[in-house]
Amino acid sequence: MGIRHDYELVKDHGHWLIANDIFTDPLNQDSRLSHHAVPASGRIQRLAPPPASPEAAKAITYANTYCGAAPGCGNDRRYNPHYVSYNGEGGDCTNFVSQALKAAGFRMTPWWEYSVRRQEGSPAWVNAQRLKDFLDASGRATLYASGSYAQLTKPTPQYPHGAIDAIRPGDLISYIERGRAVHSALVVGYDHFGYPVVDSHTADRFQVPWDLGWDRHTIYNLWHVHYPPAPHAPSQRP
């Protein structure tokens, strides 16, 4: 895990002054917790599957490359310079997830897009709730389970090892507080115990357990992402 420490500077009578000083506790993702994180109890065991498709693998590679300040991230622990960072402006988590989806082959739309000219993303590109709504409406992902940690790890007839057991590398998780999505993360694999791990921004995370820093009241939306097939190469005729 890693954090970015952001300063806002203003010039006053020829001197630079710090007007704002912002950083995020990497262990305290849940904004309702007061200065501490209460980990959920329980564990799951599973055989980790590979990414669902080569395109899902592209999203994972992108996330591992540009996940930022966390040890293990690529690109010298720097964000992709072709995108603006929204840290300090509500968070960069969904902007990061959208970048990974685009890198995997999803085409931008009038509702989900990033403008290089304006250096800004649309609401569905940068906002966790709006991305959640877009995924649902567009059919680019299917919400296959929703609930608390206890509910998603509880065996059911449909999911004998819990719904979280069906998550795949390349899938997404939306984190819900008070009925609205406040965070997005990309599932990038599993640790050696078979526990799903995610990459995210704000705070920057590289292969961190999917529920770390959230409490027992957090609701998680689990999304199966339907990655577009790779374009066929044109036929070569003699």
Side-chain angles (χ1 to χ4, degrees):
M1 296 176 288
I3 62 170
R4 294 184 176 273
H5 200 161
D6 297 314
Y7 297 93
E8 181 182 350
L9 301 177
V10 296
K11 200 167 188 178
D12 182 31
H13 297 94
H15 298 281
W16 287 105
L17 304 177
I18 297 175
N20 207 350
D21 183 8
I22 304 168
F23 65 93
T24 303
D25 181 351
L27 281 173
N28 184 9
Q29 290 286 115
D30 192 330
S31 64
R32 298 170 302 177
L33 302 180
S34 178
H35 306 298
H36 68 283
V38 181
S41 59
R43 61 176 296 182
I44 62 169
Q45 293 180 337
R46 59 167 297 157
L47 294 176
S53 69
E55 287 65 44
K58 291 179 183 178
I60 294 167
T61 297
Y62 183 95
N64 287 335
T65 301
Y66 296 111
C67 49
C73 294
N75 197 44
D76 199 25
R77 299 192 195 177
R78 297 179 183 274
Y79 289 178
N80 189 334
H82 297 294
Y83 295 94
V84 69
S85 169
Y86 285 89
N87 283 320
E89 299 181 44
D92 199 61
C93 61
T94 305
N95 180 35
F96 173 60
V97 166
S98 291
Q99 293 170 33
L101 295 179
K102 182 178 182 297
F106 279 112
R107 293 186 177 183
M108 294 190 292
T109 77
W111 298 273
W112 179 78
E113 65 173 349
Y114 183 84
S115 170
V116 175
R117 180 179 61 84
R118 297 193 307 271
Q119 284 287 286
E120 67 178 10
S122 66
W125 184 279
V126 302
N127 179 271
Q129 179 66 35
R130 298 292 288 271
L131 176 63
K132 174 179 173 294
D133 295 341
F134 172 75
L135 293 174
D136 188 42
S138 67
R140 293 187 172 188
T142 297
L143 179 65
Y144 80 87
S146 179
S148 66
Y149 180 93
Q151 292 169 326
L152 296 178
T153 57
K154 180 180 179 181
T156 66
Q158 185 177 6
Y159 301 108
H161 301 287
I164 191 63
D165 187 66
I167 203 85
R168 306 170 301 191
D171 284 343
L172 299 181
I173 301 178
S174 299
Y175 298 74
I176 313 300
E177 291 182 352
R178 300 181 182 91
R180 290 190 62 81
V182 297
H183 184 63
S184 309
L186 182 75
V187 178
V188 294
Y190 301 83
D191 67 14
H192 60 285
F193 292 112
Y195 205 81
V197 294
V198 301
D199 287 357
S200 69
H201 283 183
T202 321
D204 297 349
R205 294 183 166 208
F206 173 72
Q207 300 183 10
V208 169
W210 64 282
D211 64 309
L212 184 65
W214 301 86
D215 76 358
R216 294 176 178 84
H217 302 290
T218 301
I219 298 298
Y220 307 89
N221 285 358
L222 308 183
W223 297 89
H224 283 324
V225 179
H226 309 305
Y227 285 93
H232 294 292
S235 59
Q236 300 279 336
R237 292 191 177 183

